Each structure stands twice: as structure tokens, then as C-alpha cells.
């Protein structure tokens, strides 16, 4: 099943079901007004939403379910706001590059205890929204990731049990301002200024929609990132060290997680340099290690970042495309 949220002037948007070819949608307003509500009543509404998509796919020209062409430009984030956004760091190669490039000591228990921070969840950006930020001097960077959206998840859930609470999978760009990161890390209180609003691809999908590309709690797809049309990378997300069940269990060790909680994978990163990167900091770290100094600049106003997940045949995966321009706030 594929779900999206259209801009409607309200903070939570208008929930729609998207056809299996991402070309049409049908309003789900008579089932649930918005996705946050649907997640809180998932057991009740999921069968109705699936029935609506089945009708949408079976009768593309039908007026019975009020179909219309699907335009990703009309979308906000699938979940425009929620109660909790937790971002992990499940691709260990990214951390190891940082240790080598910046000569910082290894994080204790790096391979056994996931790193995770709690981000702001009140103002997510849609896939084609401009990204307003204060200054280029803040060292603007992108970070391509996958994430999962949960139903209510009990405290103390095991990593294996945790996967049953994954209701949706999303593609996201965790925009970052690198100039603020070092100070906020040293403070021990987590990121605030270093993490502006996160952006999401237009379509959230149930895990079954990914077929064999969702297995072992991981998304087995490439994530292609372009800067003003120039390739940055296409690393494969199957190289994730901690799977999503382990990230969920880590977050839920001492508390339950509310319906609508989003957990991110962290920057998709591969050990093979030929795969490139999904963030410019990683590009710069590789340059530091090979050339002694970074050559690639951080982002400037007017530039665009495009992200899309690709399957094994090189076709765009169901999430659709993130394509955003940076503008000065």
C-alpha cells in the first residue's frame, strides 16, 4: 500500500492512497483525515485503506473512489508532523570514515550499541518544497536515509519483535548544518541548530510494497543522490549494520514509542568508494584521506539536491523523488 499527504492548508495535510504506478490517487478522508490519525487507529483503518487501493488499481477510470492524477508537487511529507523523530547511525562505514578523517577516538561499543539522537518532528518538509536556511556559512549538507514509521510500540520490545510494529517505510533527506555540529556534540545534549527540518519523499509504503527489497529489517535498494544534476553517489542500503528492529529495540528499551514515531537509518554509506556517498561530509572525508584536504564545497543557495531509491533494475522505487532547492530564509 502507498500513502501520501496532500497540502490542504492544515498542519497534518490530507491523506490519500496512491495507485501502484504512482500515477493516480484517491482521497482517504472518509477513512481517516490524516496519516497521524490513521497510525493511531491502524488496526481499524488499514483494511479500509488497502481496499481503497485495490479499487484504485482495479478501476483506474472509476469515479467511485474520486481518483485524480497524482502530482508529487502537491505533497507534503507523508507524515507532515509527528510526536517523535529518532535518527540512528546504522551504517558503521560513515562513522569509521569520520574517525579516520578527523582523528577522533572510536565511540565505545560502536558495533554493539546503536548511536541515536532525538530530532525535531514538528515541521517536516515535502518532496519539492524549497529549503529555507539562514546562511551558507553554516555549512549546508544533505544526508540520504531510509526510515520506518511505527504503530504504538511497547517498552522492552526485542529486536525481532520490533519489526512487527513497522507499518510504513519512507525515504528522507536529513538536512544538516555542519558548522553547528561539533559544538552541539561536545555539549552532550544533542543536536538542535545543526538539524533543520527534515524532508521526505512523497510516498510512504507498507513493507510488503517493497517485496524482496525489504528483508532482515533492511531496505535493499540503492539511494542515488545528485547535486545540480551531478552524481554524488548511489550506495546500497542493504549494507546497514544495525537493522531497523535493533534501532527500534534500542529506542524502546526504557519507554514505549507512540504511534507515528519515525526512526531513521542514518546516512546510507558503503565501504566501497565507487558507490559514492549520500552526504557531502562523507565526500569531503574521503578527499581528506586520499588527498590531504577536502575539495568539495558545502551547498550554496540556488543549488538543488535530488534523491531517489532505485531497485536492482535501476528503476525508481515506490517512494518517488525528493528534489529540492536551497533558498535563503
Amino acid at each position: 500500500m502507498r500513502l501520501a499527504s496532500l497540502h490542504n492548508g492544515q498542519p497534518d495535510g490530507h491523506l490519500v492512497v496512491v495507485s501502484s504506478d504512482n500515477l493516480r490517487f484517491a482521497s482517504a478522508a472518509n477513512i481517516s483525515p490524516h496519516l497521524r490519525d490513521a497510525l493511531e487507529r491502524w488496526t481499524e483503518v488499514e483494511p479500509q485503506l488497502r481496499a481503497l487501493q485495490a479499487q484504485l488499481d482495479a478501476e483506474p477510470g472509476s469515479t467511485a473512489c474520486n481518483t485524480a492524477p497524482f502530482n508529487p508537487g502537491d505533497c507534503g511529507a507523508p507524515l507532515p508532523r509527528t510526536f517523535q523523530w529518532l535518527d540512528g547511525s546504522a551504517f558503521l562505514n560513515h562513522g569509521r570514515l569520520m574517525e579516520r578523517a578527523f582523528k577522533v577516538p572510536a565511540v565505545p561499543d560502536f558495533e554493539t550499541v546503536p548511536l541515536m539522537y532525538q530530532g525535531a518532528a514538528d515541521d517536516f518538509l515535502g518532496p519539492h518544497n524549497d529549503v529555507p536556511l539562514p546562511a551558507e556559512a553554516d555549512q549546508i549538507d544533505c544526508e540520504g536515509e531510509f526510515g520506518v514509521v511505527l504503530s504504538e510500540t511497547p517498552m522492552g520490545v526485542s529486536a525481532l519483535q520490533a519489526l512487527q510494529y513497522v507499518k510504513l517505510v519512507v525515504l528522507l533527506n536529513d538536512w544538516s548544518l555542519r558548522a553547528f555540529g561539533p559544538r552541539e556534540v561536545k555539549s552532550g545534549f544533542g543536536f538542535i541548530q545543526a538539524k533543520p527540518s527534515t524532508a521526505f519523499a512523497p510516498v510512504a509504503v507498507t513493507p510488503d510494497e517493497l517485496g524482496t527489497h525489504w528483508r532482515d529489517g533492511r531496505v535493499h535498494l540503492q539511494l542515488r543522490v545528485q547535486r545540480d544534476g551531478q552524481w554524488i553517489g548511489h550506495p546500497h542500503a542493504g549494507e546497514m549494520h544495525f537493522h531497523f528492529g535493533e534501532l527500534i529495540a534500542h529506542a524502546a528499551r526504557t519507554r514505549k514509542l507512540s504511534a507515528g514515531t519515525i526512526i531513521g537509518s542514518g546516512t546510507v554509506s558503503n565501504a566501497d568508494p565507487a558507490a559514492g556517498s549520500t552526504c557531502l561530509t562523507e565526500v569531503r572525508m574521503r578527499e581528506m584521506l586520499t588527498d590531504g584536504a577536502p575539495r568539495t564545497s558545502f551547498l550554496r543557495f540556488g543549488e538543488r539536491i535530488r534523491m531517489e531509491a532505485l531497485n536492482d533494475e535501476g528503476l525508481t522505487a515506490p517512494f518517488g523523488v525528493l528534489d529540492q532547492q536551497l533558498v535563503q530564509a
Side-chain angles (χ1 to χ4, degrees), residues 226-249:
Q226 294 172 293
R227 176 184 187 174
D228 276 351
Q230 298 298 309
W231 175 90
I232 296 175
H234 62 266
H236 197 281
E239 204 167 300
M240 190 175 177
H241 177 75
F242 298 105
H243 65 69
F244 277 111
E246 292 171 301
L247 296 181
I248 297 165

Side-chain angles (χ1 to χ4, degrees), residues 33-328:
H34 49 72
L35 184 53
R36 188 160 54 87
D37 171 81
L39 288 159
E40 291 173 347
R41 300 188 295 117
W42 190 256
T43 301
E44 173 190 347
V45 304
E46 182 190 14
Q48 300 174 63
L49 293 171
R50 286 189 180 274
L52 180 57
Q53 182 168 35
Q55 183 182 8
L56 179 61
D57 288 337
E59 305 174 46
S62 171
T63 59
C65 55
N66 298 315
T67 66
F70 180 62
N71 178 10
D74 294 334
C75 293
L79 195 59
R81 59 176 181 169
T82 192
F83 296 108
Q84 184 158 236
W85 153 234
L86 303 171
D87 199 15
S89 183
F91 292 86
L92 299 193
N93 179 69
H94 185 70
R96 291 188 177 115
L97 283 173
M98 190 171 297
E99 291 169 3
R100 292 166 54 203
F102 297 113
K103 297 180 174 58
V104 295
V107 176
D109 304 316
F110 185 55
E111 297 188 7
T112 56
V113 179
L115 296 175
M116 186 174 288
Y117 76 90
Q118 185 162 351
D122 60 325
D123 182 37
F124 293 140
L125 299 177
H128 299 294
N129 292 149
D130 286 344
V131 182
L133 293 170
E136 292 177 350
D138 295 336
Q139 299 178 351
I140 305 167
D141 200 357
C142 56
E143 288 190 58
E145 308 185 17
F146 292 98
V148 294
V149 187
L150 309 180
S151 59
E152 185 172 303
T153 304
M155 179 173 63
V157 69
S158 72
L160 183 59
Q161 293 170 332
L163 292 174
Q164 68 182 287
Y165 298 99
V166 173
K167 301 308 175 188
L168 297 167
V169 185
V170 291
L171 168 63
L172 61 103
N173 183 355
D174 183 36
W175 289 101
S176 297
L177 300 177
R178 301 301 187 185
F180 297 112
R183 178 183 57 80
E184 293 190 327
V185 167
K186 290 178 182 178
S187 76
F189 276 78
F191 296 121
I192 297 294
Q193 295 175 343
K195 293 293 183 179
S197 297
T198 302
F200 288 77
V203 181
V205 305
T206 49
D208 60 282
E209 195 75 22
L210 297 177
T212 60
H213 299 295
W214 171 261
R215 60 184 188 274
D216 305 321
R218 297 173 175 86
V219 178
H220 291 263
L221 294 168
Q222 290 183 3
L223 179 48
R224 182 170 65 187
V225 180
Q226 294 172 293
R227 176 184 187 174
D228 276 351
Q230 298 298 309
W231 175 90
I232 296 175
H234 62 266
H236 197 281
E239 204 167 300
M240 190 175 177
H241 177 75
F242 298 105
H243 65 69
F244 277 111
E246 292 171 301
L247 296 181
I248 297 165
H250 175 78
R253 182 176 179 182
T254 59
R255 55 175 169 162
K256 72 175 184 179
L257 305 177
S258 299
T261 293
I262 304 175
I263 294 189
S265 67
T267 306
V268 177
S269 178
N270 287 176
D272 182 3
S277 304
T278 64
C279 79
L280 298 178
T281 291
E282 188 167 297
V283 174
R284 290 165 58 88
M285 288 191 297
R286 291 186 188 277
E287 292 169 346
M288 290 170 66
L289 292 169
T290 57
D291 306 327
R295 302 186 311 277
T296 299
S297 67
F298 287 107
L299 293 163
R300 303 181 179 91
F301 296 133
E303 290 190 297
R304 304 190 72 89
I305 289 291
R306 178 185 173 96
M307 294 185 180
E308 58 188 319
L310 303 177
N311 63 20
D312 297 337
E313 291 74 42
L315 302 175
T316 301
F319 309 100
V321 175
L322 261 167
D323 190 355
Q324 297 183 289
Q325 185 176 42
L326 288 162
V327 297
Q328 186 162 21

Side-chain angles (χ1 to χ4, degrees), residues 2 18-24 70-72 202-203 205 317-320:
R2 306 182 184 201
V18 182
S19 62
S20 294
D21 56 9
N22 279 10
L23 295 179
R24 299 175 312 285
F70 180 62
N71 178 10
V203 181
V205 305
F319 309 100

